[in-house]
Amino acid sequence: MSAATFQNAHRLHVQSLYKRSLKLSLDWYIQRDLWRQKALDIRAQFERNKHVTNPKEIQQLLKNTEKELQAWAHPDPYKLPLGPEGTKWERNLPPLVPESHH
């Protein structure tokens, strides 16, 4: 694996962790004004470790972040009301119209 390929894979993995962190925090903070502060805290946490170059230290940070995300998972994650498994998912479907045979 070339260095550029490794860096790209690493960048994508870190971006995935960051996105998962933000999505997971939305399960705990539904109100956007409260969530925004948490999002800024998450960003600051990722920025603090941005310049780490030691591969062992990087691996440890990634492992710790994965553990943190698992521990922080909400037991009843927020689902959009109109999304799959939401409270209004397929609630008002149009009635089935029987096919007419001419």
Side-chain angles (χ1 to χ4, degrees):
M1 183 183 270
S2 72
T5 305
F6 174 77
Q7 286 177 340
N8 191 39
H10 172 71
R11 181 178 51 82
L12 291 173
H13 184 72
V14 171
Q15 286 175 344
S16 170
L17 286 174
Y18 178 66
K19 186 175 180 179
R20 284 174 39 207
S21 299
L22 291 176
K23 284 183 170 270
L24 189 62
S25 66
L26 277 171
D27 290 340
W28 294 96
Y29 301 91
I30 295 174
Q31 291 178 301
R32 289 292 174 146
D33 57 332
L34 299 176
W35 172 79
R36 179 71 179 135
Q37 185 56 51
K38 184 62 179 175
L40 292 172
D41 294 343
I42 291 170
R43 180 65 184 218
Q45 190 175 0
F46 274 81
E47 289 290 333
R48 261 195 309 277
N49 298 312
K50 185 177 183 177
H51 302 293
V52 175
T53 56
N54 181 345
K56 287 185 179 184
E57 205 174 330
I58 291 171
Q59 282 303 107
Q60 190 61 43
L61 284 168
L62 294 175
K63 197 164 118 178
N64 289 346
T65 303
E66 290 283 357
K67 282 183 185 177
E68 215 174 300
L69 289 177
Q70 286 178 353
W72 203 35
H74 197 286
D76 187 21
Y78 180 76
K79 296 175 182 78
L80 294 173
L82 296 175
E85 298 181 15
T87 56
K88 294 183 179 182
W89 176 249
E90 295 185 341
R91 179 183 279 182
N92 298 315
L93 291 176
L96 294 174
V97 179
E99 292 183 32
S100 61
H101 298 284
H102 292 283

